[in-house]
Amino acid sequence: METPVPETPAAEKDRWLGAFAHLPFAVVWIASAVALVGISMYDTASGWLMTTLDLNPFDVSLVHAATNLPMFLFTLPAGALADIVDPRRLILYISCGIAVLIVMFAGLVSLDLASPVSLLLTTFLLSAAWSVNSPAWLAILPSLVPRSELPGAIAANGVAYNLSRTVGPMLGGFAIVHYGLSAPYWAFAVANVIVVAALLWWRAPPKETASLPAERLSGAVRTGLRHAVNSRYFRSTLVRTVAVYPFAAAYWGLMPLIARGSGEGAEHYGLLLSIISAGALLASFAHRTLRQFINLDWMTALGSVGTAVALALFASFRAFPVLLGACFLAGAAWVLVLTSLYVSAQNVLPQWVRGRGLAIFLTVIFGVVAVSSAAWGQVAAEIGLDRALLAASAGALLAIPLTWSWELHDAEAIDLTPSLHYRRPQAVEDIADDRGPVLVKIEYWIDPKDRERFLRAIDDLGEQRRRDGAFAWGMFEDMAEFGRFEEAYLIESWLELMHFRERVTKEDRVIEDEIREMLTGPPHIEFLVSAERAPRRNGRRGAAGGA
């Protein structure tokens, strides 16, 4: 578990600086911003390079496909990887690999040896590397700033991204014109060297020494998905995500048609996209101030209303100045929603599953936006552009009351500090880490008059068991003896059981303490491991072995 960054007197004095009052965050933020600008320059140069290599529209479109496909393939496993290994080291290794890859490709471009295949392969590998890096970047944020500054740090990351999308294409075009087509690639290689230097300078807060071997990647992915499904707090974040982005995706997918409907040319289409980034940039700065007055739920609602108004403006007006204003509002609303959801996700994810949870969050956004953009295009083809945009506007507004009960959570809402109150199960002999599954049985005795209250509390406990790794759970009542209940759940392996017992938080212990108050005696706990059997010989089964 990473040690949280403490509040300091210097931070109090420099409150107006927010997250930037903490030197590690400022240094790492600058490095990541430079890397984002480098990526934007790469994207600009790659699109232009493909047109010089091959003018086939299908081949040109493959560049975009090679950029986005890895996001769907690798983001979730990358989140699990960020939880298993040190995320700082992961970013270091990946950034070194990116630098080497880009130097090799920049050399090919400089020597006029680049081909469509080499460009597509480089783009795919780069996007895959960035997919692996993204959850790790998010996972190190709590190590850079105190929890009270986490919303500002997330908003600052939004500033870096939107700034890179505004500045990067201009720098890429300038570099191509004045220094040649390979210049943006060399610049991107230098950007990754800066990232490596920043992370070598920064030393993460010390972690508690791991008492258990690391999880296996496949099991870690399954556990992460299980946590997302069974964590009510994280489910709230995901529900609010799918309540906004299907409708916000409408203007992203239909923006070329919106721009064409204004009667202006392609350069004005680019201007509309830039204004969206400008609105997002301003909202990133304003988010910290707004948070002093409204909570995450109202911030998300404000962003949803802004999205609905922007969609209505796109549908109702063709004048270019109005479209510019709608784009500015859409960008600002997008960032208000995204930052609020990010903060909620960070707040409700324990350290052990943070990388996986954030990867699931990103995958949901990528998937929803991709599918919804295509869906709104089909809707527009059926009922017309204006009606489709108005329908999306109405949907964004309607989703607010429909999902209002799914509350987002601030940093103070829950205590995710590990409780570490469980003792290690005793066994008569050593048990292999991969031995399993493991059946855990717990016997409870209660006063029958507490039955209803006990069952309500035990249901909450069952949700915690499934969230932390149990793949099956049940509660059983003895019909022969009133007041006797038996809980049973299954864990994949003995090692997973050890990890499971270290994942219980102080928030979880509140439920356990409530249950213990209703017991008439201490609970009785048993751990049963699947029996190992020798292979059959001559039609006869060998003797059972194991613990």
Side-chain angles (χ1 to χ4, degrees):
M1 179 190 70
E2 293 187 2
T3 304
V5 179
E7 301 281 1
T8 64
E12 181 68 24
K13 293 179 181 178
D14 297 326
R15 185 181 297 274
W16 65 275
L17 285 175
F20 290 97
H22 305 276
L23 183 60
F25 174 79
V27 171
V28 173
W29 183 88
I30 292 172
S32 65
V34 170
L36 288 168
V37 171
I39 289 176
S40 187
M41 293 177 68
Y42 175 93
D43 291 341
T44 302
S46 296
W48 188 256
L49 175 61
M50 182 59 90
T51 62
T52 67
L53 299 173
D54 191 344
L55 288 177
N56 186 311
F58 176 73
D59 291 342
V60 173
S61 69
L62 287 179
V63 176
H64 185 71
T67 301
N68 286 276
L69 182 59
M71 297 293 185
F72 293 96
L73 296 178
F74 303 120
T75 299
L76 181 54
L81 195 62
D83 286 329
I84 294 173
V85 304
D86 179 4
R88 171 182 168 272
R89 290 188 179 183
L90 179 62
I91 299 172
L92 272 172
Y93 294 147
I94 295 295
S95 297
C96 288
I98 291 174
V100 172
L101 175 66
I102 296 303
V103 165
M104 294 171 60
F105 186 71
L108 292 177
V109 176
S110 299
L111 298 173
D112 291 328
L113 297 176
S115 66
V117 173
S118 63
L119 173 59
L120 292 173
L121 180 60
T122 302
T123 300
F124 183 88
L125 292 176
L126 173 62
S127 185
W130 189 249
S131 299
V132 174
N133 257 1
S134 294
W137 276 111
L138 296 173
I140 68 172
L141 269 183
S143 300
L144 295 169
V145 296
R147 288 193 74 178
S148 60
E149 295 292 351
L150 193 57
I154 294 173
N157 278 357
V159 170
Y161 177 80
N162 290 293
L163 190 62
S164 71
R165 288 289 138 184
T166 304
V167 175
M170 292 188 294
L171 291 178
F174 179 85
I176 291 173
V177 171
H178 291 85
Y179 302 105
L181 195 49
S182 65
Y185 300 110
W186 292 113
F188 186 30
V190 172
N192 281 276
V193 173
I194 293 174
V195 169
V196 171
L199 291 176
L200 287 175
W201 169 83
W202 172 60
R203 297 296 178 184
K207 295 182 178 181
E208 293 182 359
T209 304
S211 59
L212 297 172
E215 300 173 80
R216 292 179 173 85
L217 184 60
S218 59
V221 171
R222 289 194 300 272
T223 303
L225 290 170
R226 202 172 287 134
H227 183 94
V229 170
N230 292 288
S231 170
R232 67 179 68 178
Y233 297 138
F234 190 56
R235 280 203 309 270
S236 294
T237 303
L238 296 181
V239 167
R240 298 296 284 272
T241 300
V242 298
V244 178
Y245 287 108
F247 308 107
Y251 67 79
W252 284 112
L254 300 175
M255 186 56 68
L257 296 176
I258 295 171
R260 185 176 292 275
S262 69
E264 303 291 348
E267 67 278 7
H268 289 79
Y269 169 59
L271 180 58
L272 291 176
L273 296 179
S274 296
I275 292 298
I276 291 177
S277 295
L281 195 60
L282 179 64
S284 298
F285 287 115
H287 186 273
R288 183 168 180 264
T289 302
L290 288 172
R291 283 281 291 116
Q292 298 175 8
F293 303 99
I294 57 178
N295 62 20
L296 296 178
D297 288 305
W298 283 103
M299 189 79 73
T300 304
L302 179 62
S304 299
V305 171
T307 299
V309 173
L311 287 164
L313 290 174
F314 287 135
S316 305
F317 296 93
R318 292 292 178 267
F320 195 71
V322 177
L323 295 182
L324 288 175
C327 285
F328 188 88
L329 178 60
W334 180 278
V335 164
L336 289 181
V337 172
L338 181 61
T339 303
S340 300
L341 293 172
Y342 260 137
V343 171
S344 177
Q346 288 273 14
N347 287 339
V348 302
L349 288 168
Q351 178 62 40
W352 67 269
V353 77
R354 181 170 291 138
R356 279 165 280 188
L358 293 173
I360 292 169
F361 174 68
L362 291 175
T363 302
V364 168
I365 292 180
F366 291 146
V368 165
V369 171
V371 173
S372 299
S373 296
W376 284 114
Q378 183 62 36
V379 172
E382 296 290 336
I383 66 174
L385 175 63
D386 296 344
R387 290 182 179 179
L389 292 170
L390 287 174
S393 176
L397 291 175
L398 184 61
I400 297 174
L402 291 178
T403 59
W404 191 253
S405 60
W406 298 85
E407 296 181 3
L408 302 179
H409 288 80
D410 289 319
E412 299 80 11
I414 51 178
D415 185 357
L416 298 180
T417 307
S419 176
L420 301 178
H421 66 286
Y422 282 146
R423 291 179 296 178
R424 186 183 180 92
Q426 299 299 312
V428 296
E429 64 181 26
D430 291 338
I431 302 176
D433 287 342
D434 60 353
R435 179 89 178 271
V438 179
L439 172 63
V440 182
K441 297 170 62 181
I442 307 176
E443 184 183 52
Y444 303 97
W445 287 89
I446 67 166
D447 190 321
K449 67 180 176 58
D450 292 327
R451 180 179 180 277
E452 294 304 320
R453 188 162 67 98
F454 173 77
L455 290 179
R456 283 195 297 269
I458 211 74
D459 282 342
D460 291 337
L461 183 63
E463 185 178 70
Q464 294 173 10
R465 308 287 201 208
R466 292 189 294 267
R467 183 200 62 201
D468 289 344
F471 66 85
W473 177 89
M475 172 58 66
F476 305 90
E477 184 174 9
D478 192 337
M479 292 292 96
E481 297 183 71
F482 289 119
R484 180 179 177 272
F485 292 83
E486 195 160 299
E487 178 190 7
Y489 55 93
L490 285 167
I491 306 289
E492 288 187 0
S493 66
W494 188 256
L495 175 61
E496 181 64 13
L497 174 66
M498 300 300 103
H499 283 295
F500 174 90
R501 297 174 70 78
E502 291 189 351
R503 292 167 184 163
V504 180
T505 67
K506 292 181 178 178
E507 181 78 10
D508 300 333
R509 191 168 182 176
V510 172
I511 299 295
E512 293 188 18
D513 291 342
E514 180 184 349
I515 291 172
R516 285 181 179 272
E517 290 176 359
M518 292 181 272
L519 301 184
T520 58
H524 177 67
I525 306 175
E526 298 179 48
F527 300 93
L528 291 83
V529 186
S530 178
E532 293 180 338
R533 292 176 173 81
R536 293 176 181 271
R537 293 187 178 90
N538 299 323
R540 299 179 63 185
R541 188 185 301 275

